[in-house]
Amino acid sequence: MLKIDHLYFSYNNVKNLLTDINFTLNDGEYISIIGSNGSGKSTLIRLILKLIEPTDGTINNTFKNMAYVPQRFNQLNIHFPITVREVLASYKKVRHNGCQDISEVLNLLNLKEKEQTLIGQLSGGQCQKVFIARALLGNPDLLVLDEPSNGIDVKSRDEIYELLANLNKSKKMSIICVEHNLQAAVKNSTLLYHIKKGHGHMCLPERYAQEYIKNDLGDIKC
Amino acid sequence: MLEYSFMQNAFLISFFIAALCPVIGMFLVLRRYSMMGDTLSHASLAGISIGMLANQNPVLSSFIVVSMFSIIIEWLRKHFRTYAELILVIVLSLSIGIAITLLSSGLVHANIDSLMFGSILTVTKSDFYWVLFFSVISLFLVYRYYAELMFIVFDEEGAVIAGANVKLINYLFAVLVAATISISIRIVGILVISSLIALPIAASLQLEKSFKQTLWYGILFSYIDIFSGIVLSYWLDAAPGGIIAINSVILLLIVLFYKHKIRSNKKRIIQE
Ligand SMILES: Nc1ncnc2c1ncn2[C@@H]1O[C@H](COP(=O)(O)OP(=O)(O)O)[C@@H](O)[C@H]1O
Ligand SMILES: [Mg+2]
């Protein structure tokens, strides 16, 4: 379970980016975080992953094994000399306990024949799938993704969402996903969390689809 | 040539530094920190002068001083992320200041030429033992933490989340850089060390291979650069540093040319 209470966060140059954030993620839930660019979605994720400390408030996290699929795969240095296999093998080595087989994860994501390919020679969608594969290697109980479908081809996008829905349903994996893709958010997640001007509110996907969209569509790209 | 004991020492030492420099260089280059070699080589000049003042072996005194500066750079890197090059300039100024003051005041007497340009005549057996000591430990540590180091240069944040002790490994790496520079100075000289760290890797990166293969090609290129440099410097009676630097640029150009040729050949085949 993840419980956030009265969370505040400011960067040095951006004051009160997040103000009084409250939400609870129960085991097995799939939350999509939505909001306009610069509203602080990635920052909230970084707080949850303990990469940065809240200015105020508490984050109570009972998940033992978090994994993260970063947003910035598209700003990756495409000349970095590393193969898909090396990305996964180094993760496995660093985690050194209870990791899955690399080939199994690669099969799951249809990346088997890309094993020896350099990261920079993959398409955007394949590259995103490599980061998802890396995250899944350690059998996480909480999977955190930052805009997984941003800038990738339709086929990979569909594969990724099918996989996420499957992991959530059959393996009861908890998922937090920052989402640009409103359709996917409404379709897959159990809850939506909308951040706007520092404040957040939770809503059910169906209700969001019906009501909220009408007033707020300009705020969100979908 | 090999009958001279100084040549034997030079070859023995080169055998180790030729492996260590590109290994450390690989991680520095990929971190966009190749100029660190330059800064720290100047710190080693300060270290050598202080060592002479205290009557210590120059490799050891240089290692201690350079490690200190290297750790300070790593610490500042966290705090001045946006001004990374500025940190290098600050440390460079401080160390060159210390070195010039000590060397020009007459407190210590050193052969500046051999420090700057490298020398094969002045290396001693005791230098060799220090080189052996530091390079075996350094190579072992890189081997031991290879996955962590590769992960950190590729994705530092991801490494933190995966549970690697990123801070500790970064500081450890800072010390490894210091060791590499301190042992290489004697042969290649202060002015050339950063090209030895960066250029073999710059050449091997052109081949677009996996991380491991890039590293091995870097080591191969480094061996070619250094050994041909030492042999030529013996024949030409010139400082090894200069020749090694020229060789590494020539090798890089050859690789670039070769790559270009393969590319255009491929294009022609596709067109036909
Ligand atoms: N490390 C940082 N230091 C200072 N400001 C930052 C940092 N990261 C993000 N910001 C700023 O905080 C705001 C929110 O960023 P972010 O959380 O990435 O938004 P989102 O993911 O919703 O697009 C932006 O205005 C951004 O410029
Ligand atoms: Mg973001």
Side-chain angles (χ1 to χ4, degrees):
Chain A
M1 194 189 71
L2 175 78
K3 192 162 181 298
I4 298 181
D5 285 305
H6 305 295
L7 179 83
Y8 288 77
F9 186 81
S10 305
Y11 285 114
N12 287 334
N13 52 340
V14 189
K15 298 289 175 215
N16 299 323
L17 179 61
L18 298 172
T19 53
D20 201 17
I21 298 286
N22 296 282
F23 82 71
T24 304
L25 168 84
N26 291 308
D27 292 4
E29 276 180 338
Y30 179 159
I31 291 193
S32 292
I33 298 176
I34 53 179
S36 54
N37 267 331
S39 57
K41 304 180 298 293
S42 299
T43 304
L44 180 59
I45 278 190
R46 291 165 57 78
L47 284 158
I48 291 169
L49 292 164
K50 301 194 187 91
L51 289 169
I52 46 179
E53 291 284 315
T55 315
D56 201 8
T58 56
I59 300 177
N60 221 321
N61 187 343
T62 61
F63 289 106
K64 295 266 174 318
N65 190 352
M66 293 187 285
Y68 175 46
V69 179
Q71 175 173 25
R72 68 197 146 50
F73 86 90
N74 41 8
Q75 23 190 94
L76 199 75
N77 169 11
I78 58 158
H79 297 293
F80 198 101
I82 194 167
T83 60
V84 171
R85 172 132 204 135
E86 284 176 319
V87 170
L88 298 180
S90 61
Y91 187 83
K92 197 169 164 163
K93 186 86 190 301
V94 167
R95 301 281 312 206
H96 54 67
N97 44 13
C99 274
Q100 299 190 54
D101 226 35
I102 289 178
S103 336
E104 242 167 70
V105 180
L106 286 175
N107 280 332
L108 188 66
L109 283 140
N110 290 326
L111 285 170
K112 192 68 193 136
E113 70 278 19
K114 297 289 174 195
E115 189 168 346
Q116 301 298 344
T117 309
L118 291 178
I119 278 287
Q121 291 167 358
L122 297 174
S123 72
Q126 290 166 336
C127 189
Q128 183 68 292
K129 289 200 285 182
V130 171
F131 279 92
I132 293 175
R134 187 180 81 171
L136 294 179
L137 258 187
N139 295 310
D141 49 6
L142 174 62
L143 179 62
V144 182
L145 306 98
D146 201 340
E147 302 193 9
S149 66
N150 202 3
I152 69 175
D153 58 292
V154 180
K155 185 168 163 284
S156 306
R157 194 186 69 194
D158 292 347
E159 276 177 32
I160 287 172
Y161 283 117
E162 196 186 316
L163 177 69
L164 290 183
N166 201 0
L167 288 168
N168 178 242
K169 289 209 182 74
S170 61
K171 286 202 169 179
K172 298 274 170 280
M173 192 181 287
S174 309
I175 297 176
I176 298 180
C177 185
V178 169
E179 199 58 87
H180 248 102
N181 182 340
L182 210 56
Q183 262 182 358
V186 169
K187 188 167 157 233
N188 292 329
S189 46
T190 42
L191 285 169
L192 283 182
Y193 193 72
H194 182 207
I195 302 179
K196 191 178 179 185
K197 299 204 171 81
H199 295 284
H201 32 258
M202 194 70 93
C203 48
L204 290 172
E206 308 84 58
R207 275 206 49 205
Y208 189 91
Q210 290 160 8
E211 293 174 28
Y212 219 96
I213 277 181
K214 283 182 228 145
N215 318 319
D216 210 38
L217 200 57
D219 220 6
I220 300 162
K221 259 205 336 237
C222 60
Chain B
M1 173 170 75
L2 277 173
E3 66 271 19
Y4 298 111
S5 72
F6 67 85
M7 280 309 275
Q8 290 166 7
N9 288 338
F11 272 114
L12 282 173
I13 290 181
S14 304
F15 181 79
F16 289 96
I17 63 176
L20 195 52
C21 282
V23 168
I24 296 298
M26 176 91 175
F27 298 101
L28 282 176
V29 168
L30 290 174
R31 261 190 185 183
R32 313 271 162 106
Y33 233 53
S34 28
M35 289 319 286
M36 182 144 165
D38 211 29
T39 298
L40 289 181
S41 69
H42 288 81
S44 87
L45 186 60
I48 290 171
S49 334
I50 292 172
M52 285 174 165
L53 197 64
N55 234 339
Q56 293 298 321
N57 180 285
V59 176
L60 180 64
S61 67
S62 150
F63 171 69
I64 292 169
V65 172
V66 177
S67 297
M68 235 170 55
F69 280 121
S70 184
I71 286 172
I72 291 173
I73 291 174
E74 174 58 29
W75 185 78
L76 288 173
R77 197 171 72 91
K78 295 269 146 50
H79 297 263
F80 294 88
R81 241 173 238 274
T82 31
Y83 301 112
E85 320 89 57
L86 197 55
I87 298 166
L88 297 183
V89 176
I90 295 168
V91 171
L92 189 119
S93 309
L94 179 62
S95 40
I96 204 77
I98 294 172
I100 292 177
T101 307
L102 285 176
L103 290 170
S104 64
S105 67
L107 283 171
V108 295
H109 298 281
N111 181 349
I112 306 277
D113 274 8
S114 84
L115 290 176
M116 288 291 169
F117 309 142
S119 158
I120 38 180
L121 287 171
T122 57
V123 288
T124 61
K125 248 302 164 331
S126 109
D127 284 339
F128 168 69
Y129 289 121
W130 281 112
V131 169
L132 185 68
F133 174 75
F134 280 121
S135 44
V136 168
I137 291 182
S138 303
L139 287 170
F140 171 76
L141 286 172
V142 171
Y143 173 75
R144 168 72 184 70
Y145 292 107
Y146 175 74
E148 282 87 347
L149 285 165
M150 174 165 80
F151 201 149
I152 291 171
V153 290
F154 177 60
D155 177 11
E156 184 157 345
E157 201 164 76
V160 173
I161 295 166
N165 195 340
V166 172
K167 246 188 203 162
L168 183 77
I169 290 172
N170 278 342
Y171 281 116
L172 177 73
F173 182 70
V175 175
L176 293 183
V177 178
T180 305
I181 291 188
S182 303
I183 62 176
S184 310
I185 288 298
R186 301 290 287 187
I187 298 271
V188 298
I190 283 158
L191 295 177
V192 175
I193 181 80
S194 67
S195 60
L196 196 57
I197 282 179
L199 288 188
I201 293 301
S204 71
L205 281 173
Q206 302 306 320
L207 304 176
E208 297 177 19
K209 302 274 185 194
S210 72
F211 197 92
K212 200 180 211 166
Q213 285 171 319
T214 305
L215 194 55
W216 281 114
Y217 274 107
I219 294 172
L220 174 71
F221 292 156
S222 161
Y223 270 100
I224 296 173
D225 293 341
I226 293 188
F227 280 96
S228 62
I230 289 180
V231 172
L232 282 175
S233 89
Y234 172 83
W235 280 335
L236 298 175
D237 199 17
I243 296 167
I244 290 170
I246 294 172
N247 284 355
S248 45
V249 173
I250 291 175
L251 189 66
L252 176 62
L253 291 177
I254 292 173
V255 171
L256 281 172
F257 176 76
Y258 176 75
K259 183 181 162 185
H260 184 77
K261 220 178 136 191
I262 286 189
R263 280 246 172 103
S264 48
N265 272 351
K266 258 189 202 157
K267 251 187 218 154
R268 201 178 322 133
I269 289 168
I270 290 169
Q271 275 164 5
E272 282 167 14

